[in-house]
Every structure is written in structure tokens, then in C-alpha cells.
Amino acid sequence: MKTMRNRFDRKISVYFFSISMMIVLILSYANYRSSVKIIKQNIEMENSQQLKTASLYIASYLEKMKSLNSLLAMTPELNSNKERVIDERALKSTLDLIKSSDTIIKNIMVITKSGQLITHTGSVMESKKPVLNEEWYQTALKSNNMAQITRENHSGFTMNKSERVISLSHKIEDGNREFQGLTIIDVSYKFIEDYISTVNLGENGFAFIVDENKQLIFDSEQMNGDSLKEKAEYLAIIEDSSDFNKEDYIISTIYVPNTNWQLTQVRSPEEIYTLNRKLITEMLIWAFLILLLSIFLSIFVSKKVTNPIVDLIDEMKKVNQNFSNIPVNQQASLEIIELTLEYNLLLDRVKKLTETIEEKEKAKRTYELKALQSQINPHFIYNTLDTILWLVELGEKDQAVEVIQSLGSLLRTTLSVDEDVIELKREIEQVKNYLNIQKIRYDDKFDYDISLGANTGEILVPKLIIQPIVENAIYHGIKTKKGQSHIQITASIGAEALMIQVEDNGVGFKDKKHSNKSKPKLGGIGMANVDQRLKILYGDAYGLTYTSDDQLTRVTLKIKI
């Protein structure tokens, strides 16, 4: 019992610990996934807010430069509709004033339609024709007086072409809205760098700006270079392509207001990795503490649960065949007490049910035997008594006495309820009594012969198993046949079985619609009844079989020895 108690303890401890571990792991994993998701969402929100702020700053600064460009284009020196040479000195003074107002401005220039150039530095054109044919110049001409943003340095000027700048151009028109030239303000990339530096890119992240044609305008990784090199991975990022394979990078993009620029931030995941490691460490510590606690709880719970159960099992094993109730442990848990009480109720029901079944089985057996043995066909008794009557009337007193003796012996054995089985020779005697009565009744319409093999007369057989077969032979084989008939009864010992055969040369029942399962009854006991009784007593290998044709009907009884 100690072994069983230990086995119960181990099982419950293992189950409890396993369930606790699964719960901890599931909750830890769910919490981890949820925390990582929240971290990413917070970082994405932070990125979006930072990117939005940077784009607004960039747009605001560009709008400021556009306004300066518009004001410059509207100065009287440039806006006059009179054809005259511009006063370079007066205009240069204006340009110097604008330049000194913002250190980000690298250059300010005015280009007239005649090719005259005025800058705050006093630069001159290398040649006139190339400038008028420049793409940026042609684009500005088609801008419909809207400020244009270009990333190209201006070729054709005797100025520093190595420095990358962002140029904003504006048309100069007179009062009749006729084109007079262009104003150009070049600003340093530094203003973009300053605003982008406020965006958290992580250790290995980057940011870039492209225009509507997907051409690179700004790249945080090329801020110190003289020129911008296009990168295919930037295009993949913008188009959400799988060609960009840096996992866990957080990508955010936004359009700079009032421009055709698209600002994209690619934040490296170091911060996420750091937070994940910290989160995993904390979760492992908590999981270890919870699992350690679950071990102690599992041991405590297993002892609390198994001890009362094992004690109850001990008491159950002591229950004897009298089904005595087991004592109730009032110190046990409510469930164990309830289980004990229910088990005692079960014992009471089982005891009562067992007694009831025994009584019913006994009564049933007695009833069945009585019913079986008392099912004498009233027509058979009536006809026998009628036979006795006309024998007496005819003065055949000896035959009447013989019939009365045979009937009495037959009824005495048939109605006896004290014997389930009798010797075969006694069963044969009852068959002879029946045959003698029927011979007299049918005026010797048949004769019979009985042959018992060696050592068969003392074999015990169920009562009333041959008589129904003989009656079936008389009523369905001999009665309707013209002329004399014969009944042969033999008994022999086969392979661990007693073989009894009843043969008659009556008309048989080969062509009859009924089978042996529905033959007429003797005293209410049919052939199917005999077959069923033998199978119940000895098994399906035993029972009744028959063959029948126009010459002979043979019924064989196989009885286990």
C-alpha cells in the first residue's frame, strides 16, 4: 500500500507540475509576444511622430525659402516691364541682405532672359548659351511661377560645384506677366541633416528622401560625400519588395508636405533586441520562481489528495462478501466523505440487488421447470381420455388399463419439479409410455423400435427432450401417411457426446413451409425449445439437427457427456 501511495503522490505531483509548467510557458510566451508587439507598436508610433515632425520642419523651411524667392522675384529692379539693364549694385545689396539672414543659404542668384547673371558673391556666367539650355532652367520656365525644387548643382557657373545643394527657383515676370528671368536660392543639405538628426535611427539605421521619380535627394549614409549614389535597396523599401532582407528593421515613410518628396526612415532593431533580452530575462526569472513554487504546491496537494484516497481504498479492499459499510473519516475532505457515503450506499444497493437477483433466479428456475414440465397439450390428454372411454365401452379393459398406466406414469414424470435431469433409460421409458398411448389411439398405425448403445442408459440428460421429437414424427410424418409406419430410436456415444437419433418413414416435411424452428409442439414443448435448451446447457456446438426426404426423416440430438 505504501508503494501505491508513493505512486499516487508521484503521479499527482507530475501532473500538477506539468500543468503548472504548461500554464507558465503558455502565459510567458503569450506575454512575450504581446510585449514584443507593444514594443514594436510604441517604436512605430515614435518613429511616425518623429518622421512627421521632421517632415514638417523640412516643409516649413522650404516654404520659407520659397517665400524669399517669391519676394526676390517681385522686387522693383526685377519686376519692371521696361527693357533696361538691371542695376547690379542695387540688386546685389538685396541679395546680400537675404543671404545674411540665413546661414543655410549657400548662394542667391538672378538670371535674366538675356543671360545677365547677378549673385551675392559677384560670380559671372562662363557662357550664356549653356545656362539657357540647362534642364533645370527649362523646368523652371515651365513651372508657371511655382517654386521648383531641384537637387542638381548648377552647371555653367564659376562657383564651387563640388558642394551639393538644394536649389529653389522662381520665375521673374513683369507687370504684363511676361517672362524676365529666374531667381535661384541654393540651400545647404545641412538643414535636412539637422532635422533628420532628431529622428532615432538606431545604431545601423538610416533615412533617405526620394522625389516622385524615385531619384535620391538625401541619404543619411552619404552626408559627407560629394555626390549621391542611387541604391537599389531604397527602391525595394519604397516598393515594399522582398529584396530588402534586413529582418526586424522598422520602416516608416511619409511625404513632405507641399513637395513631391518621400521621406523614409529605416530604424535598426538593436533597441528591440535589447528590450527583448531584458524581457526574456525577467520572464525566465519569474517562470523559474513560479515553477519552484509549483513544485512545493504539487507535493503539498498530492499529499493532501492521495492520503485520504489511499485510506479509502484500504477500507474498500476490506469489504467482504457481506457488503458491510466502511467507516467514514470525518477528518477527511468533504469530497472524500461524500465519496465514502456514496460508496456505502452503493454497497447497500449491491447487497440488496444481489439478494434480489438470487431470489429471482431461484424463482425463475423453479418457474421455468414447472412451466416446462406442466405444458401438457390439453388435446393430447382429452384424446387419451377419449381413447380410454371407447376402449372401456368396447370391453377392451386390458388395453384401457394399459393406457391409464402409461398416462399416469407419463404425467407423474412430466409434472415432477424436483429433477432437472434424469437418466436416459428413464427418459426412454416416458417415450415408450407416450408411444404406447399413441399406438392404441391410432390403432397400431405404426410400430417402433428403441436401441440403446452400451453404457448410454445411465447417462444423465435433460428431461423431456426425446418426447417432442417423437410427437413431431407422429403428427407430421405418420398421421397423414397411408399404411403402416415405423419409428426408430437409437442412442450411441460419439466424440465426447451422446448422439440420440429419432427416425421415421412418414411423409416428412421437406416441402413444408415451416422449418424445425416452428414445428408443432408436444405438451407445448416444440423442437425449437429442445434445441434452445441444449444450447443453453452445453453450448452452441450441441443441440438438434435434422434431415428429411420422401423416404426418411432423421432428427439427431447431440448432448455433451
Side-chain angles (χ1 to χ4, degrees):
M1 187 56 63
K2 185 177 181 181
T3 303
M4 183 175 66
R5 188 186 302 271
N6 293 335
R7 187 168 66 250
F8 278 179
D9 287 342
R10 286 195 299 270
K11 283 186 176 180
I12 293 179
S13 298
V14 170
Y15 291 155
F16 189 88
F17 179 76
S18 301
I19 293 173
S20 300
M21 180 175 290
M22 284 194 300
I23 293 175
V24 169
L25 291 176
I26 292 173
L27 291 179
S28 298
Y29 179 76
N31 184 53
Y32 171 76
R33 297 295 298 177
S34 176
S35 299
V36 170
K37 184 178 180 180
I38 292 174
I39 291 173
K40 285 188 175 181
Q41 288 176 347
N42 290 337
I43 292 177
E44 288 174 355
M45 291 176 60
E46 178 186 348
N47 289 354
S48 178
Q49 186 60 41
Q50 291 178 353
L51 213 60
K52 183 177 181 180
T53 301
S55 67
L56 290 175
Y57 284 149
I58 293 172
S60 176
Y61 187 83
L62 291 177
E63 287 298 317
K64 173 184 173 183
M65 293 298 103
K66 289 179 184 179
S67 298
L68 287 175
N69 228 352
S70 297
L71 290 174
L72 180 59
M74 295 172 61
T75 57
E77 292 83 359
L78 300 176
N79 201 23
S80 174
N81 56 3
K82 297 179 179 180
E83 294 186 3
R84 60 185 176 84
V85 177
I86 298 176
D87 184 356
E88 293 186 13
R89 182 174 298 180
L91 184 58
K92 185 176 180 300
S93 176
T94 303
L95 298 180
D96 289 339
L97 180 63
I98 296 174
K99 171 65 176 65
S100 63
S101 66
D102 193 336
T103 59
I104 300 298
I105 298 176
K106 290 296 183 181
N107 189 33
I108 303 176
M109 66 189 75
V110 175
I111 303 175
T112 66
K113 64 180 180 179
S114 62
Q116 184 181 1
L117 170 66
I118 303 171
T119 70
H120 75 286
T121 60
S123 301
V124 296
M125 299 292 293
E126 294 176 350
S127 63
K128 298 179 181 179
K129 185 176 180 181
V131 175
L132 299 179
N133 295 328
E134 286 291 335
E135 182 180 354
W136 59 267
Y137 186 85
Q138 296 299 323
T139 301
L141 292 177
K142 299 176 182 177
S143 64
N144 195 23
N145 266 0
M146 293 297 294
Q148 297 294 309
I149 300 170
T150 177
R151 64 185 180 90
E152 298 178 356
N153 217 329
H154 305 299
S155 60
F157 299 155
T158 57
M159 57 188 299
N160 183 10
K161 303 182 184 65
S162 64
E163 184 179 3
R164 291 184 291 121
V165 294
I166 296 175
S167 297
L168 295 92
S169 58
H170 197 285
K171 280 185 179 182
I172 302 173
E173 295 179 345
D174 59 16
N176 298 323
R177 301 189 66 82
E178 293 182 359
F179 176 73
Q180 299 297 325
L182 289 176
T183 61
I184 298 174
I185 299 179
D186 292 338
V187 295
S188 171
Y189 268 80
K190 184 173 174 44
F191 85 96
I192 297 180
E193 295 172 3
D194 291 342
Y195 294 141
I196 294 299
S197 64
T198 62
V199 178
N200 187 357
L201 301 176
E203 293 182 9
N204 299 311
F206 53 91
F208 61 91
I209 299 175
V210 296
D211 62 14
E212 60 185 354
N213 297 319
K214 310 302 180 185
Q215 291 182 324
L216 191 62
I217 293 177
F218 171 82
D219 182 5
S220 63
E221 293 186 333
Q222 301 184 61
M223 288 192 296
N224 298 322
D226 293 335
S227 61
L228 289 175
K229 296 180 180 179
E230 299 288 346
K231 293 185 178 181
E233 64 176 327
Y234 290 175
L235 185 60
I237 292 173
I238 295 173
E239 296 178 351
D240 195 19
S241 171
S242 59
D243 295 337
F244 183 73
N245 295 321
K246 294 185 178 181
E247 296 182 358
D248 296 329
Y249 275 63
I250 300 176
I251 301 173
S252 303
T253 184
I254 192 172
Y255 281 92
V256 178
N258 303 321
T259 70
N260 56 2
W261 293 0
Q262 184 177 354
L263 172 58
T264 301
Q265 173 198 20
V266 182
R267 184 168 178 174
S268 59
E270 292 85 4
E271 184 179 355
I272 296 178
Y273 293 158
T274 302
L275 293 174
N276 283 354
R277 285 193 294 270
K278 183 178 179 181
L279 180 63
I280 291 173
T281 302
E282 292 179 354
M283 290 177 59
L284 288 176
I285 293 174
W286 279 108
F288 175 76
L289 294 176
I290 294 174
L291 291 177
L292 192 63
L293 178 62
S294 69
I295 293 175
F296 292 105
L297 285 177
S298 65
I299 295 174
F300 173 77
V301 171
S302 64
K303 295 291 184 184
K304 190 74 174 176
V305 172
T306 57
N307 288 343
I309 293 178
V310 173
D311 293 339
L312 179 60
I313 293 175
D314 290 339
E315 295 297 332
M316 288 179 175
K317 289 184 176 180
K318 296 177 183 178
V319 174
N320 55 25
Q321 59 184 357
N322 294 325
F323 301 103
S324 302
N325 288 350
I326 60 177
V328 179
N329 183 7
Q330 299 297 335
Q331 303 300 322
S333 63
L334 181 62
E335 293 79 5
I336 299 298
I337 294 175
E338 188 70 21
L339 183 60
T340 305
L341 294 175
E342 289 297 327
Y343 184 74
N344 286 336
L345 292 175
L346 177 62
L347 289 176
D348 293 339
R349 289 195 292 269
V350 170
K351 182 178 181 181
K352 185 176 180 180
L353 181 60
T354 302
E355 294 173 351
T356 303
I357 291 175
E358 290 177 351
E359 293 175 358
K360 287 184 176 180
E361 286 295 325
K362 185 177 180 181
K364 180 180 178 182
R365 186 171 184 82
T366 302
Y367 171 77
E368 287 178 347
L369 289 174
K370 288 182 178 180
L372 184 64
Q373 297 168 11
S374 63
Q375 287 178 346
I376 300 298
N377 193 328
H379 292 287
F380 167 72
I381 298 176
Y382 173 78
N383 291 334
T384 303
L385 293 175
D386 189 54
T387 300
I388 295 171
L389 178 61
W390 60 259
L391 286 173
V392 173
E393 289 178 349
L394 294 175
E396 300 291 338
K397 294 181 180 181
D398 293 338
Q399 285 186 329
V401 170
E402 182 181 352
V403 172
I404 291 172
Q405 289 176 342
S406 297
L407 179 61
S409 177
L410 180 62
L411 292 175
R412 183 165 49 251
T413 302
T414 302
L415 299 177
S416 174
V417 296
D418 296 330
E419 296 176 305
D420 294 332
V421 294
I422 59 175
E423 292 180 344
L424 177 60
K425 58 186 179 182
R426 288 184 58 192
E427 177 71 8
I428 293 297
E429 287 299 322
Q430 298 308 309
V431 174
K432 288 180 179 180
N433 290 329
Y434 176 76
L435 287 171
N436 291 334
I437 293 173
Q438 295 292 46
K439 277 190 68 177
I440 295 173
R441 180 184 171 195
Y442 288 104
D443 195 18
D444 291 326
K445 186 176 180 61
F446 65 90
D447 58 8
Y448 66 89
D449 183 31
I450 299 175
S451 175
L452 299 182
N455 302 322
T456 58
E458 289 74 24
I459 297 176
L460 296 178
V461 298
K463 193 164 55 175
L464 296 174
I465 59 170
I466 302 176
Q467 192 175 15
I469 312 304
V470 173
E471 182 191 22
N472 189 75
I474 294 173
Y475 279 96
H476 297 283
I478 296 173
K479 181 179 178 181
T480 58
K481 180 182 177 182
K482 294 181 181 180
Q484 188 74 12
S485 298
H486 178 74
I487 296 176
Q488 176 71 38
I489 300 175
T490 60
S492 60
I493 298 176
E496 298 183 356
L498 174 64
M499 309 298 293
I500 301 174
Q501 290 187 340
V502 180
E503 300 177 350
D504 71 87
N505 59 353
V507 297
F509 49 84
K510 179 179 179 182
D511 297 326
K512 303 275 180 108
K513 292 182 180 179
H514 51 263
S515 67
N516 68 316
K517 300 294 183 181
S518 59
K519 293 295 180 288
K521 303 176 182 178
L522 167 63
I525 306 170
M527 293 174 65
N529 188 302
V530 173
D531 183 57
Q532 184 179 16
R533 287 171 61 202
L534 293 178
K535 280 180 168 51
I536 291 174
L537 289 172
Y538 305 117
D540 292 338
Y542 301 88
L544 182 150
T545 59
Y546 70 88
T547 59
S548 179
D549 54 33
D550 295 336
Q551 302 298 324
L552 184 69
T553 297
R554 178 185 294 115
V555 179
T556 302
L557 300 176
K558 184 178 180 181
I559 303 172
K560 185 177 181 181
I561 298 178

